[in-house]
Amino acid sequence: MCRVVDLQQAVLAKNGAAAQTLRVGLTARGTTVVNLLSSPGSGKTALLERELGLARERGVSVAALTADLATENDARRLGRSGVPVKQVLTDGLCHLEAAMLGRHLDGWLPQDTRLLFVENVGNLVCPASYDLGESLRVVLASVTEGEDKPLKYPTAFGLAQLVVITKTDIAGAVGFDEAAFRANVQQVNPGVEVVLTSARTGEGLGTLLGRALAVADGDPAHTPVMAAQDHGHHHGHGHDAGHDHHHDDPGHGHHHDAGHGHAHPPVVRTR
């Protein structure tokens, strides 16, 4: 057991070092990374598409990288916004890692990009442990997922710097208890902001963009209690209890790039 824990800590430490290098390099060129985490089907792609379109309308230089196990569907959708978009296919890996992200940005990310939105793999377990060099970590949850989601996934919600509730246009139909959800969020992450959004009606549209721009301009992001307890940096925690570590799966840990040169949006396969 100790050897497994030591290996996991070593992997996360290596990722943390790569993330810090990436953060410093991107910050020096004026690019702020926003890491978006959620369960599959939360509506983050729909919301991000509208936020990217709004950024373009306002003349904000943005780009988006989206990661999935398979299909180019999300890149096609995000590409409709007219901003630079890149798809990463992880072929089974349940999260992005900092070194992987850095390789995919190299030679692709436009130099004048002010905000880079990274749509992580749909999963609230594995991605929660991996710093991607972001300056703002956002966790999204739809009204259909239940009010106890923050308690079930305390690492993801406990390390969030912004929590976004999506699909509020159907909150009444599904009996969503907003007060209970907010209370549960505050239980694991006191003081974090929780905002309401609907990609369909436009409620809260521009909030995500506004918060990201504020961080880019130097406003401090929320510091979760869990992050403060982790000696000043909020990543490097183990997975939530009950989850089998993903590196036991075949093919994990191999991140060879392929597929460069595809028409927009390019597809990068990680094997």
Side-chain angles (χ1 to χ4, degrees):
M1 178 63 70
C2 291
R3 293 181 64 185
V4 173
V5 172
D6 289 345
L7 175 60
Q8 180 175 317
Q9 291 177 341
V11 169
L12 293 174
K14 181 178 179 180
N15 180 81
Q20 183 60 14
T21 298
L22 185 60
R23 182 182 294 106
V24 169
L26 289 173
T27 299
R29 58 178 273 175
T31 300
T32 296
V33 177
V34 181
N35 186 6
L36 305 177
L37 291 78
S38 79
S39 299
S42 69
K44 68 178 177 295
T45 304
L47 179 63
L48 180 57
E49 180 184 349
R50 296 207 61 181
E51 294 283 345
L52 293 175
L54 183 62
R56 188 182 183 201
E57 291 174 8
R58 295 180 177 178
V60 180
S61 179
V62 298
L65 182 146
T66 181
D68 274 307
L69 276 66
T71 84
E72 303 173 35
N73 294 346
D74 287 354
R76 292 193 190 100
R77 292 172 61 188
L78 296 178
R80 296 184 304 207
S81 66
V83 309
V85 174
K86 187 171 191 177
Q87 177 79 56
V88 174
L89 300 183
T90 67
D91 287 342
L93 192 64
C94 61
H95 62 276
L96 287 171
E97 297 180 6
M100 184 193 312
L101 177 61
R103 290 196 302 272
H104 296 334
L105 297 182
D106 188 26
W108 167 74
L109 187 67
Q111 187 63 39
D112 65 344
T113 302
R114 189 175 183 195
L115 297 176
L116 170 64
F117 289 92
V118 177
E119 184 180 16
N120 219 314
V121 179
N123 186 335
L124 282 176
V125 182
C126 300
S129 299
Y130 288 83
D131 183 0
L132 297 183
E134 71 262 21
S135 295
L136 180 64
R137 174 175 284 211
V138 182
V139 175
L140 304 90
S142 75
V143 298
T144 62
E145 296 179 65
E147 296 81 6
D148 62 347
K149 207 59 171 283
L151 303 181
K152 288 184 174 182
Y153 298 93
T155 301
F157 284 90
L159 295 176
Q161 294 169 301
L162 176 67
V163 174
V164 176
I165 300 173
T166 62
K167 304 184 182 180
T168 56
D169 53 293
I170 60 171
V174 300
F176 178 66
D177 187 337
E178 180 187 338
F181 181 88
R182 287 180 178 273
N184 291 335
V185 170
Q186 295 305 315
Q187 183 174 329
V188 299
N189 193 345
V192 69
E193 183 182 12
V194 179
V195 299
L196 302 173
T197 66
S198 169
R200 180 173 295 177
T201 67
E203 179 181 9
L205 182 62
T207 303
L208 177 58
L209 176 62
R211 299 299 185 273
L213 285 172
V215 171
D217 288 339
D219 287 355
H222 168 71
T223 300
V225 171
M226 189 180 292
Q229 292 172 344
D230 193 26
H231 305 290
H233 201 274
H234 63 270
H235 305 298
H237 292 270
H239 298 298
D240 291 330
H243 178 74
D244 292 332
H245 198 274
H246 65 275
H247 291 293
D248 292 335
D249 294 340
H252 285 174
H254 299 283
H255 312 303
H256 303 301
D257 296 342
H260 291 288
H262 287 203
H264 178 80
V267 178
V268 179
R269 297 182 182 275
T270 302
R271 298 188 185 278

